[in-house]
Amino acid sequence: MGGAAQAGAAQAQPFMTTVATVERLAEAGDWTALVSTCEDAELDLVHDDLEAAASAQLYAAQLLGHLLLRELEAARFVWKRAPAAAQAHAEVSGAWAVGKALWRRDTTAARAALTAGSWTSKAASTLASALERRVEEEEWDTIARAFTVVSPETLAARLGLSAAAAAAAAGGEGVPIVGTPIAHMRFLLYAEAGGGLPPHVDLSRTDATGRTSTHTFILYLSGCAEGGETVLLESLSLGKGSVRAAVTPVRGRLLLFPHACPHLARPVVAEGLPKLLLRGEMY
């Protein structure tokens, strides 16, 4: 073997040894030892003998290791002292894109950067997968502490998923999820005498989780001295004995009945104005 070849082999040996150690520590999940190994390589000037692509493997692993340890300030300094050629490498720039998102506490952006990253080296791929799991676990922990129940829309916004995917994921995580509470709640105002509704049944609604509503609720926000009653019926055909109950609007009174129950709203008279209520569906 010629002298130049021997020198090249000697220069490559510390790098190969360091890479093997970093890969082993990444697989073992020993982020502290991994970061320490990468720092030792910097102090031993291992990078000075490497091409940019090879050097980038260690810088990317070092960055991702600090992020796994949530040492964001240390990760920032690794990025700042990395040579421009290493910073331009896809793994290093991708790792720092994740770091910037975590610095802003934007977990959605961090997950997106991890998904979009080009993790070609074995260590970076292992570390990026571990970091993605950790970010997701931390987000679920935050959600579990912040919400007793959570809507799929809120969950989707926090996780960067569709409402359907968020609802499915919540089941696996044991996080109670409900449809957006009274998502279609609306106010009804009868401001003129004579306002009412003929016999009818209410339609159901389906929320983002696929659940279908079963009951109507009415919360009376004003009382009516006369008229304006909600009348529950046996059938849509009015006749003798068709009235089950007539509910007088009283402020604060809550009425709950199945969608399929026929009902009508008796006309409001002048003495009962205004009639104001809140209506919505229950699941």
Side-chain angles (χ1 to χ4, degrees):
M1 180 181 295
Q6 289 179 338
Q11 290 174 345
Q13 187 58 41
F15 168 70
M16 297 302 295
T17 300
T18 301
V19 168
T21 301
V22 167
E23 289 177 350
R24 175 177 55 81
L25 294 172
E27 289 286 351
D30 192 344
W31 322 131
T32 300
L34 183 148
V35 165
S36 179
T37 298
C38 292
E39 289 174 344
D40 288 343
E42 278 193 285
L43 294 173
D44 292 341
L45 304 180
V46 170
H47 290 278
D48 290 358
D49 299 323
L50 300 177
E51 295 182 357
S55 182
Q57 290 188 48
L58 297 182
Y59 278 118
Q62 193 170 356
L63 277 167
L64 292 168
H66 280 304
L67 297 180
L68 278 159
L69 293 169
R70 283 298 183 266
E71 296 172 348
L72 303 184
E73 186 71 16
R76 186 171 72 90
F77 281 117
V78 170
W79 168 257
K80 289 175 70 71
R81 67 176 179 259
Q87 291 181 348
H89 191 273
E91 282 192 336
V92 179
S93 61
W96 183 235
V98 178
K100 288 189 291 184
L102 292 177
W103 191 279
R104 299 191 304 269
R105 299 184 180 181
D106 187 345
T107 54
T108 299
R111 286 161 59 93
L114 284 163
T115 301
S118 177
W119 315 114
T120 54
S121 67
K122 181 179 178 181
S125 177
T126 301
L127 293 167
S129 295
L131 184 55
E132 187 169 10
R133 289 193 300 272
R134 178 158 187 180
V135 169
E136 183 174 348
E137 289 168 0
E138 290 175 349
E139 188 63 17
W140 279 116
D141 181 63
T142 300
I143 290 167
R145 286 186 283 106
F147 298 94
T148 303
V149 292
V150 61
S151 73
E153 292 82 6
T154 298
L155 198 56
R158 295 291 294 264
L159 297 176
L161 302 172
S162 67
E173 294 292 333
V175 175
I177 188 166
V178 296
T180 303
I182 39 184
H184 300 284
M185 180 177 65
R186 54 266 189 208
F187 293 99
L188 297 181
L189 173 64
Y190 296 84
E192 298 179 359
L197 289 172
H200 65 284
V201 294
D202 291 336
L203 298 177
S204 61
R205 292 182 183 272
T206 302
D207 68 9
T209 67
R211 297 186 310 165
T212 301
S213 64
T214 58
H215 287 68
T216 297
F217 78 82
I218 294 175
L219 176 64
Y220 297 103
L221 301 178
S222 67
C224 292
E226 188 176 347
E229 298 92 339
T230 302
V231 181
L232 305 182
L233 306 170
E234 292 287 349
S235 69
L236 291 173
S237 300
L238 291 175
K240 186 177 181 180
S242 64
V243 175
R244 288 185 175 184
V247 181
T248 300
V250 174
R251 183 178 181 182
R253 174 172 286 172
L254 178 66
L255 173 61
L256 179 68
F257 55 89
H259 290 327
C261 177
H263 59 285
L264 61 82
R266 284 179 178 161
V268 182
V269 299
E271 290 77 9
L273 294 175
K275 177 184 175 183
L276 177 63
L277 58 88
L278 189 65
R279 183 193 182 287
E281 289 74 35
M282 301 292 291
Y283 293 81

